[in-house]
Amino acid sequence: MELKDLYREIVNEHNLRPSHKGEMANPDLVLRGVNPSCGDDIILQLKLSADGKIEDAMFSGSGCAISQASVDMMADQIIGKTKEEASELSDVFSGMIKGEITDDDELEDKLDEAASLKDISHMPARVKCALLGWRTMKEILENPEKNEKK
Ligand code: ZN
């Protein structure tokens, strides 16, 4: 299968059957992330364990296929990680999307399926879509005072 087809397939799969979309019962951290240039609008919800790890991650809201697939893949990747590790993954993902990190082995090792979004680095109009979930995650982890939990 060609890489382009594989990328499309993965994005489709995450849109048709997202694993982490919905409302979490008792989130610890909640932050809305908006990408006005496309209309992507998500609410990210994180549950933390007693030892500071991300126990669960979910999102609600709506947006284009890339924004939704990207945040769904992100949730897969950060569950079980510490806040610091998750924040670091956001930097790796953002480095990939901005074309600053290009080592495929490193990207696949750290980002797993999310590495399939690498080609977005050649689609400037979609960069903000792909980054939305990841930058929202980093923002709430590093600035807990922004918590919108009710
Ligand atoms: Zn979008």
Side-chain angles (χ1 to χ4, degrees):
M1 193 184 290
E2 281 207 41
L3 195 63
K4 239 189 255 164
D5 299 331
L6 181 67
Y7 149 80
R8 255 185 229 123
E9 185 120 319
I10 291 174
V11 167
N12 277 338
E13 184 59 32
H14 280 275
N15 276 274
L16 290 172
R17 280 177 284 277
S19 314
H20 305 283
K21 186 159 187 178
E23 304 278 346
M24 192 184 287
N26 240 323
D28 292 305
L29 294 173
V30 177
L31 186 64
R32 185 177 177 198
V34 181
N35 170 24
S37 63
C38 176
D40 309 318
D41 191 344
I42 60 162
I43 308 269
L44 182 68
Q45 311 145 65
L46 301 176
K47 179 115 199 123
L48 303 175
S49 64
D51 59 353
K53 287 187 175 158
I54 295 168
E55 195 172 284
D56 199 9
M58 288 187 82
F59 69 101
S60 57
S62 61
C64 68
I66 289 175
S67 69
Q68 301 281 297
S70 185
V71 66
D72 199 44
M73 288 182 211
M74 178 192 84
D76 275 338
Q77 275 326 96
I78 62 172
I79 291 171
K81 301 279 198 304
T82 65
K83 289 188 260 183
E84 293 73 23
E85 287 167 340
S87 216
E88 246 179 74
L89 283 183
S90 172
D91 293 338
V92 173
F93 185 82
S94 145
M96 173 182 82
I97 295 295
K98 290 174 180 164
E100 296 159 4
I101 303 177
T102 54
D103 182 333
D104 284 337
D105 290 338
E106 182 192 351
L107 291 173
E108 269 163 44
D109 186 46
K110 292 185 175 158
L111 299 175
D112 196 52
E113 250 190 357
S116 67
L117 296 178
K118 189 181 180 199
D119 279 351
I120 304 275
S121 59
H122 306 298
M123 305 175 211
R126 313 318 301 273
V127 163
K128 285 183 183 162
C129 303
L131 287 178
L132 178 64
W134 299 77
R135 78 166 162 77
T136 306
M137 179 265 288
K138 187 177 159 92
E139 196 178 344
I140 188 64
L141 288 180
E142 295 184 355
N143 307 279
E145 73 278 5
K146 292 187 178 171
N147 196 1
E148 293 172 352
K149 183 190 167 187
K150 292 194 184 82

